[in-house]
Amino acid sequence: MVMSSIECITSPSRIVTPETFTDEELMRLDGKTALITGSTSGIGLGIARSLARRGANIVLNGFGDVEGSIEQIAALGVKVGYHGADMSKKDDIAQLIDYVQSEFGGTDILVNNAGIQHVARIKDFPDDEWDRVIAINMSAAFHTTKLALPGMIEKDWGRIINIASAHGLVASAGKAAYVTAKHGVVGLTKTTALDEDVVRTGVTVNAICPGWVLTPLVQKQIDDLAERQGISLDQARQDLLGEKQPSLQFVTTEQLGGLAVFLCSSSGDNMRGSIISMDGGWTAQ
Ligand code: NAD
């Protein structure tokens, strides 16, 4: 399914200088196409909004409220596409990248964001949940990267932003597959940034490590905590933050979107293999 509204404007050159561009223009992404996996909800949709506000055309992916997500982005006046690839399936991922190539002329900005969670002790951790979390949260980022990179290298401009997690840097009990996958994404980010086909080109690869963000993925954990402890949802929310996040504030999807915009701007040209925390102080402890 493809929806388009206003076509993009001009494509800025990769080499820009403060003399020729205003601060606002340095952050513009007109003419670029951003593919954000898992962008029908939460962080992915927030990043899609932020990139669209800067003029990037957007390809959405994910399940759930597809129509509502498309409408939100189309309202920002950019070209919007959607592909329903299941990110646990390698063939679907290949079709997704082909779709972006044929409908948008290629992926300029790739945000590997799709992710799921499963919480259980190791002895009880279901094998199929392990496989699903590793496939969606980690292996999908390898497959999209491998397929999208050649086009970026050819254009000598590209951005890969991997949405890892505070759990890419530190662990929590009960999250074996998630913590493993997110640590893997951090490793993939550094390795790809340094790849000899990449490191001296205009393609940058970085990871963002959010702390708690109040999305459906986290709301489920709040619901489970409230039920397990017999406490109110409000108390569960406070307890969840209090345990890990010293700011006692959720990180917002708009704040994460702002960081993604920065990484896509020319100011981010030499951010290479950076693992950037935005976690209310979680991993500073
Ligand atoms: P969310 O549940 O709100 O959104 C997840 C998105 O992924 C949805 O669009 C969903 O449809 C999509 N998705 C799930 N399985 C998919 C599949 N097989 N194929 C394609 N799409 C699929 O979650 P979120 O909190 O926005 O999480 C987004 C990313 O941010 C995840 O990688 C998550 O690990 C990471 N993250 C979240 C938090 C947080 O506190 N919410 C913190 C750190 C990192």
Side-chain angles (χ1 to χ4, degrees):
M1 183 194 327
V2 191
M3 277 190 54
S4 55
S5 50
I6 300 171
E7 291 297 326
C8 47
I9 317 164
T10 53
S11 170
S13 143
R14 187 166 74 81
I15 313 265
V16 289
T17 66
E19 293 77 41
T20 50
F21 284 85
T22 63
D23 284 354
E24 171 66 13
E25 283 167 335
L26 285 168
M27 294 296 224
R28 292 297 304 174
L29 297 170
D30 305 285
K32 304 296 188 198
T33 294
L35 163 61
I36 302 117
T37 68
S39 45
T40 50
S41 169
I43 294 171
L45 185 55
I47 290 177
R49 275 196 302 268
S50 295
L51 298 179
R53 278 196 207 103
R54 298 292 173 164
N57 297 322
I58 302 292
V59 179
L60 297 169
N61 156 260
F63 312 129
D65 185 13
V66 172
E67 292 301 330
S69 305
I70 292 172
E71 272 170 31
Q72 263 193 49
I73 302 301
L76 296 169
V78 296
K79 182 175 169 185
V80 187
Y82 168 80
H83 193 284
D86 178 341
M87 299 308 290
S88 68
K89 298 186 176 144
K90 208 175 128 186
D91 291 348
D92 279 26
I93 293 173
Q95 286 169 24
L96 168 65
I97 300 295
D98 284 351
Y99 164 81
V100 185
Q101 182 64 47
S102 63
E103 298 295 329
F104 288 79
T107 305
D108 302 303
I109 299 165
L110 168 64
V111 183
N112 285 308
N113 169 78
I116 58 168
Q117 177 63 282
H118 188 87
V119 183
R121 293 181 185 198
I122 300 270
K123 67 181 170 59
D124 303 322
F125 213 101
D127 293 350
D128 58 340
E129 290 294 346
W130 170 273
D131 291 343
R132 259 169 56 74
V133 173
I134 296 294
I136 297 167
N137 294 20
M138 187 180 77
S139 301
F142 166 71
H143 296 305
T144 53
T145 295
K146 185 175 172 185
L147 294 169
L149 255 181
M152 293 181 182
I153 292 168
E154 202 182 315
K155 291 182 191 169
D156 199 21
W157 195 94
R159 295 290 189 259
I160 299 179
I161 301 175
N162 293 324
I163 305 304
S165 167
H167 283 120
L169 302 169
V170 294
S172 296
K175 297 184 174 174
Y178 188 88
V179 169
T180 302
K182 294 299 185 180
H183 275 67
V185 165
V186 166
L188 175 67
T189 302
K190 294 177 183 174
T191 309
T192 313
L194 293 176
D195 191 283
E196 60 182 298
D197 294 329
V198 175
V199 71
R200 281 178 291 278
T201 69
V203 180
T204 72
V205 188
N206 296 285
I208 297 177
C209 295
W212 292 125
V213 187
L214 194 51
T215 66
L217 184 138
V218 166
Q219 186 59 48
K220 183 174 178 307
Q221 295 174 62
I222 292 170
D223 295 346
D224 291 348
L225 183 66
E227 196 182 318
R228 224 174 33 247
Q229 311 263 336
I231 55 178
S232 69
L233 285 175
D234 199 42
Q235 188 59 51
R237 212 172 288 123
Q238 293 308 319
D239 289 357
L240 188 100
L241 282 173
E243 188 198 355
K244 302 282 188 189
Q245 201 146 301
S247 67
L248 298 182
Q249 298 163 29
F250 287 103
V251 175
T252 70
T253 59
E254 302 308 314
Q255 290 161 355
L256 291 164
L259 181 51
V261 167
F262 166 76
L263 288 172
C264 292
S265 76
S266 55
S267 300
D269 278 355
N270 268 301
M271 300 290 293
R272 306 269 176 160
S274 299
I275 310 302
I276 311 162
S277 292
M278 187 183 275
D279 63 8
W282 181 329
T283 55
Q285 298 170 101

